Amino acid sequence: MSTATSPAPRKVTRPRADAVRNRERIVTAAREMFVEHGPDVPLDEIARRAGVGNATVYRNFPDREALVREVVCSVMDRTAEAAEVALTETGDAFAALERFVHVAADERISALCPMVSATFDQHHPDLEASRERVEQLVEEVMGRAKAAGQLRADVGVGDLLVVVAQLSRPPMGTDCLRGDRFVHRHLQLFLDGLRAPARSALPGRAVTLEELRTS
């Protein structure tokens, strides 16, 4: 009588710590250079800033599309984490919203957004998942401020995301880093306009996320 033997447990291969660090350095360097120079910056230059060899870049990201997608998703994930932090705060709901908006602006997602449609498939599952997570969390942050009577009722998530993107993008013809000096000043002016009670009626209606995706 034969006795069935259980298959040997499969070993889970985990990336080495130095490999993880190298990948993170590549993504960080790429994010910085995409913001400064656009998505066509040479991968050799990204490797040089990250302090790794060209082969390390291509081992982690087989092509430019994969690297750009990873950068955009990582920025969106950090934006989602900032929203999660805002949701854990038990104090002033509008103050939590303000802090989130300023952190989101620092991620410079506005400079990366044009690359989504220009560089790779904007409906890639990884990107869709990151985007949906951000939208849901931002809606919760805004919902808390509305429930507390602090955020005007006639604004939506789309309104907030559009303005954060526009205000954190340097004006055409200006130096990217010089423009950073004014981002948070102008964002605070916008945030003051979001407080309830509203001083005026807004024309039109709140921007929907569907409109943003199809425009």
Side-chain angles (χ1 to χ4, degrees):
M1 181 177 178
S2 61
T3 304
T5 59
S6 301
R10 300 175 66 179
K11 292 183 179 180
V12 177
T13 303
R14 292 188 175 88
R16 301 193 317 270
D18 59 338
V20 172
R21 282 194 298 270
N22 282 343
R23 185 180 178 88
E24 291 173 348
R25 288 162 66 182
I26 293 167
V27 172
T28 298
R31 172 181 174 270
E32 293 172 354
M33 299 195 77
F34 288 159
V35 168
E36 295 169 15
H37 306 293
D40 296 326
V41 62
L43 297 185
D44 292 353
E45 293 298 322
I46 293 174
R48 187 173 296 112
R49 179 172 292 197
V52 301
N54 294 357
T56 302
V57 173
Y58 286 105
R59 187 162 54 247
N60 282 275
F61 306 101
D63 51 36
R64 182 180 299 275
E65 176 180 326
L67 177 55
V68 172
R69 183 170 60 247
E70 180 68 17
V71 169
V72 174
C73 286
S74 70
V75 167
M76 295 182 77
D77 288 345
R78 284 198 299 273
T79 302
E81 289 166 7
E84 287 177 335
V85 169
L87 288 171
T88 64
E89 298 182 16
T90 58
D92 187 304
F94 194 91
L97 173 64
E98 286 183 314
R99 283 189 285 274
F100 161 73
V101 167
H102 285 290
V103 171
D106 281 337
E107 289 298 335
R108 301 302 298 276
I109 198 167
S110 61
L112 300 175
C113 281
M115 298 191 304
V116 174
S117 57
T119 311
F120 64 90
D121 179 13
Q122 58 182 309
H123 299 296
H124 188 281
D126 291 347
L127 179 62
E128 290 278 12
S130 294
R131 182 166 52 205
E132 288 173 6
R133 180 182 175 215
V134 168
E135 292 170 354
Q136 179 182 352
L137 289 167
V138 174
E139 192 162 12
E140 291 182 33
V141 174
M142 294 179 70
R144 287 206 325 171
K146 285 183 179 179
Q150 297 173 302
L151 175 63
R152 56 190 299 164
D154 57 352
V155 294
V157 177
D159 293 311
L160 181 70
L161 295 180
V162 165
V163 174
V164 171
Q166 290 178 336
L167 292 183
S168 60
R169 181 181 300 148
M172 185 176 296
T174 62
D175 179 79
C176 183
L177 298 179
R178 289 180 187 274
D180 282 351
R181 293 181 301 166
F182 309 109
V183 169
H184 294 286
R185 174 183 175 86
H186 297 157
L187 278 174
Q188 194 59 48
L189 284 170
F190 163 67
L191 285 163
D192 287 347
L194 291 182
R195 283 189 176 274
R199 297 293 184 88
S200 61
L202 293 176
R205 55 183 173 76
V207 178
T208 67
L209 297 172
E210 290 72 21
E211 288 173 324
L212 291 180
R213 284 194 282 268
T214 57
S215 57

